């Protein structure tokens, strides 16, 4: 399937939450000097201007990074703990760093301005140290071309020591030769479009095979919370997969954040009116997460409630962790 284009959704609330978690997983891994290998299975175009045709068509960034930006410009929630503030600032500083052209205007008005939103390959590449490397996979020919040109534009290798590699293929294929780094330390972000049921099966197969080759890696698995059985069962199937690992147990955290009330929708209801309700929320399942994530994520998600919620939801998020 080549119909999905992430540009339509760039900078939405799901991007904010996914990238907030991703950036802080990277920050945690880089506290040690040993090299880290990064693998992005579905990279997209890498950089998105929010006023371009596709992002502005749905304007999803209005209830995402732009809403968070406005909040941070007017009222940084001082009730956040020091650790949660640091994690939020890690993410925001990285996004703002790609909007340096707005610095003078922003400085004059004492605000931050976001006009360009970086996707995961740009967040990763910006954070690459000299000893790290990255492998980006993108099947869509246009997005692959955009990704290649965007990376060359922002990270010209003559001026930046950025060790990254691009592949015009689906990240579910051709990855085995690259997952094991010399240091045996890696982070893999897995976020297909989930337009087809096969994507759910591919995620499970990919993780199962990857764990056989590198069990110590951090795996960040994004998934949409949709009104469909495969979506709500994915995290349960991932937990079952981890429980069946023959050797040492593996730590994990599963996060779900809803902006719509999922109780309104019955997954078994055949009513056509309820069949297409759009994105209910966003999920991220992380294998081998930072040890401090459970409390920090709960606290930050509660803060996000003040920004992103579209309906009155009693339980807007769920954070379950098993840390061994």
């Amino acid at each position: 399937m080549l119909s999905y284009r992430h540009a339509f959704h760039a900078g939405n609330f799901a991007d904010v939450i996914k990238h907030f978690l991703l950036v802080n997983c990277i920050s945690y891994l880089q506290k040690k000097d040993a090299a880290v290998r990064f693998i992005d299975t579905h990279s997209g175009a890498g950089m998105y201007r929010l006023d371009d045709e596709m992002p502005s068509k749905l304007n999803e960034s209005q209830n995402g990074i732009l809403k968070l930006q406005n909040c941070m410009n007017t009222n940084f929630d001082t009730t956040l703990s020091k650790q949660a503030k640091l994690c939020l600032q890690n993410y925001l500083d990285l996004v703002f760093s790609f909007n340096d052209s707005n610095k003078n205007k922003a400085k004059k008005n004492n605000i931050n301005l976001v006009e360009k939103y970086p996707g995961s390959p740009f967040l990763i590449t910006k954070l690459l140290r000299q000893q790290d490397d990255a492998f980006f996979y993108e099947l869509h020919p246009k997005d692959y071309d955009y990704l290649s040109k965007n990376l060359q534009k922002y990270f010209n290798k003559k001026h930046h020591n950025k060790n990254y590699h691009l592949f015009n293929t689906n990240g579910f294929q051709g990855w085995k030769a690259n997952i094991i780094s010399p240091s045996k330390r890696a982070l893999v972000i897995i976020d297909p479009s989930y337009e087809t049921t096969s994507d759910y099966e591919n995620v499970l197969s990919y993780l199962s095979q990857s764990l056989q080759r590198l069990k110590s890696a951090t795996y960040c698995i994004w998934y949409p919370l949709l009104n469909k059985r495969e979506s709500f069962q994915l995290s349960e199937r991932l937990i079952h997969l981890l429980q069946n690992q023959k050797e040492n147990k593996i730590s994990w955290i599963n996060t779900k954040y809803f902006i719509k009330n999922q109780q309104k929708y019955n997954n078994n209801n055949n009513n056509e009116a309820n069949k297409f309700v759009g994105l209910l929320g966003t999920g991220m399942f992380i294998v081998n997460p930072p040890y401090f994530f459970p409390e920090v994520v709960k606290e930050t998600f509660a803060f996000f409630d003040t920004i992103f919620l579209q309906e009155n939801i009693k339980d807007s998020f769920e954070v379950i962790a098993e840390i061994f």
Side-chain angles (χ1 to χ4, degrees):
M1 292 289 289
L2 290 175
S3 59
Y4 180 83
R5 305 291 297 280
H6 186 70
F8 287 108
H9 313 288
N12 68 1
F13 80 97
D15 262 1
V16 169
I17 292 174
K18 173 175 67 175
H19 293 148
F20 163 76
L21 296 168
L22 173 65
V23 165
N24 285 289
C25 282
I26 295 172
S27 176
Y28 178 71
L29 286 173
Q30 290 182 330
K31 288 185 182 298
K32 294 183 179 180
D33 290 335
V36 181
R37 173 159 294 177
F38 298 94
I39 294 177
D40 189 344
T41 64
H42 298 76
S43 296
M47 178 61 75
Y48 309 91
R49 283 199 60 89
L50 297 180
D51 58 358
D52 277 352
E53 181 180 358
M54 284 192 283
S56 60
K57 184 172 184 178
L58 300 178
N59 271 328
E60 291 189 6
S61 61
Q62 293 292 334
N63 192 47
I65 187 58
L66 297 182
K67 209 165 190 179
L68 177 59
Q69 164 202 274
N70 292 338
C71 176
M72 303 307 287
N73 284 335
T74 56
N75 181 30
F76 195 116
D77 187 359
T78 55
T79 64
L80 288 173
S81 68
K82 184 178 180 180
Q83 181 76 71
K85 275 188 179 181
L86 177 62
C87 288
L88 187 57
Q89 203 64 57
N90 284 342
Y91 162 70
L92 287 170
D93 285 347
L94 201 54
V95 173
F96 295 150
S97 73
F98 289 100
N99 290 271
D100 285 346
S101 60
N102 302 326
K103 267 188 174 179
N104 291 334
K105 184 178 179 181
K107 187 175 181 180
K108 182 178 179 180
N109 296 285
N110 195 31
I111 59 174
N112 291 295
L113 294 174
V114 177
E115 295 177 347
K116 294 173 287 189
Y117 190 80
S120 52
F122 266 60
L123 297 172
I124 290 170
T125 304
K126 183 82 176 214
L127 292 172
L128 285 180
R129 303 168 298 176
Q130 184 174 357
Q131 63 268 41
D132 300 331
D133 58 11
F135 295 79
F136 301 126
Y137 297 84
E138 176 51 49
L139 179 61
H140 198 290
K142 287 187 178 180
D143 280 349
Y144 174 81
D145 187 49
Y146 288 144
L147 177 61
S148 178
K149 290 177 179 177
N150 284 335
L151 284 169
Q152 289 176 24
K153 176 182 177 181
Y154 282 86
F155 303 107
N156 186 315
K157 290 192 176 184
K158 291 183 179 178
H159 303 102
H160 298 84
N161 184 19
K162 302 295 185 183
N163 187 18
Y164 60 81
H165 312 273
L166 275 63
F167 302 89
N168 187 195
T169 186
N170 188 317
F172 289 139
Q173 287 108 33
W175 55 272
K176 290 184 180 180
N178 298 323
I179 194 169
I180 299 181
S181 66
S183 68
K184 301 293 179 68
R185 302 179 75 241
L187 181 146
V188 183
I189 178 164
I190 307 166
D191 62 340
S193 66
Y194 295 97
E195 281 195 305
T196 63
T197 302
S198 62
D199 275 343
Y200 294 92
E201 300 301 325
N202 287 334
V203 165
L204 290 159
S205 175
Y206 181 97
L207 180 61
S208 177
Q209 294 180 64
S210 297
L211 287 171
Q212 292 174 24
R213 298 178 69 84
L214 192 60
K215 188 169 287 190
S216 61
T218 295
Y219 296 91
C220 299
I221 303 162
W222 178 81
Y223 61 100
L225 296 172
L226 302 168
N227 185 34
K228 58 190 299 185
R229 177 174 51 84
E230 293 86 359
S231 173
F232 278 86
Q233 287 184 349
L234 179 61
S235 59
E236 295 175 5
R237 297 180 70 189
L238 288 167
I239 293 169
H240 182 69
L241 187 157
L242 296 180
Q243 289 174 338
N244 286 339
Q245 293 297 305
K246 293 181 180 180
E247 298 177 3
N248 297 331
K249 292 183 178 180
I250 298 173
S251 63
W252 55 267
I253 182 171
N254 184 40
T255 72
K256 296 179 181 179
Y257 186 87
F258 293 91
I259 60 167
K260 296 181 182 178
N261 194 338
Q262 73 272 24
Q263 301 302 325
K264 286 184 179 181
Y265 310 105
N266 183 344
N267 291 328
N268 296 316
N269 194 336
N270 292 321
N271 189 330
E272 288 299 315
N274 281 342
K275 190 172 182 180
F276 303 104
V277 296
L279 195 64
L280 299 177
T282 181
M284 182 81 107
F285 192 102
I286 306 175
V287 179
N288 296 320
Y291 71 91
F292 57 82
F293 254 29
E295 292 308 315
V296 165
V297 172
K298 288 177 185 177
E299 187 180 356
T300 310
F301 279 15
F303 170 66
F304 287 155
D305 271 358
T306 66
I307 303 170
F308 297 137
L309 286 192
Q310 295 180 349
E311 301 178 3
N312 184 20
I313 305 175
K314 182 180 178 182
D315 299 311
S316 59
F317 62 85
E318 179 181 283
V319 179
I320 300 174
E322 190 162 344
I323 309 293
F324 298 103

